[in-house]
Amino acid sequence: MPTKTVQIPTADGLSDAFAARPDQGDRHPAVLMYADAFGIRPVVREMARELAGHGYYVLVPNFFYRNGPTPVVGLPEHIGEEDRPALIGRLMPLIEAHTTERVLRDADAYLGFLADQPEVAAGPVAVTGYCIGGLLATRTAAARPGQVAALAAFHAPVAADGPDSLRRLTAEVHFGHAATDVTPEALGELNRSLDAARIDYTSEIYPDTVHGFTMSDTDAFDPAGLRRHWDRLLPLLTRALTHG
């Protein structure tokens, strides 16, 4: 599995990123993957490699590059619940400073990088993300309707920008929510906004999960939730990028 760390010029500096692609074949559909707030680390690299093994060129940017290269904050090998408050306390100012304007400037650079790679096939791309990365993925897809054909976000605050943002989506969408993150009432409101966009979507609560359930290096990890995530994500990408 060919992988590399790259430096991507942006309007505000250089963003380091992790890239993975399949062993075989000349050109592959592209997936822009936004990590959770803890950033690029072994578990995220492994998820990118697994996705690349299904036939995609996967780019995982360090969206906090303005504050330094990955890792932006020191992380324990396993992120326990006792570690989370201090880590989130250090990361929250970075999250608050990462405005929509910054997100979209950076997205231009990341999507431009993908378009320039000789291993990337021409055509639409997919964006996916986890936690805050799912919100960044949603913002990217809403702002690039002609370019993004698939959007997936997991345990993510996808409704944070309000219903008007969701109504700008044209991609096929999957939102996988942690059971502790959204009430059935809030899910209904979100899904009505997606209905108003008149797009193909699934938006569901993953049973018995807590925020962060896809990440195996945290106490939040749920193996069944991670399997469900792959069961939803891979067919979505096949439909949108391979046959779309």
Side-chain angles (χ1 to χ4, degrees), residues 171-195:
E172 184 177 350
V173 171
H174 175 71
F175 291 150
H177 310 283
T180 57
D181 281 350
V182 62
T183 64
E185 293 76 18
L187 179 65
E189 184 176 348
L190 169 66
N191 290 353
R192 285 190 289 275
S193 296
L194 295 170
D195 288 335

Side-chain angles (χ1 to χ4, degrees), residues 134-156:
L135 177 58
L136 307 190
T138 303
R139 286 173 173 169
T140 299
R144 304 289 180 271
Q147 192 170 10
V148 176
L151 162 65
F154 302 92
H155 47 84

Side-chain angles (χ1 to χ4, degrees), residues 10-16 62-69 72 106 110:
T10 76
D12 298 325
L14 282 176
S15 173
D16 53 306
N62 168 25
F63 49 82
F64 289 147
Y65 68 89
R66 294 172 181 84
N67 302 96
V72 176
D106 291 347
Y110 302 146

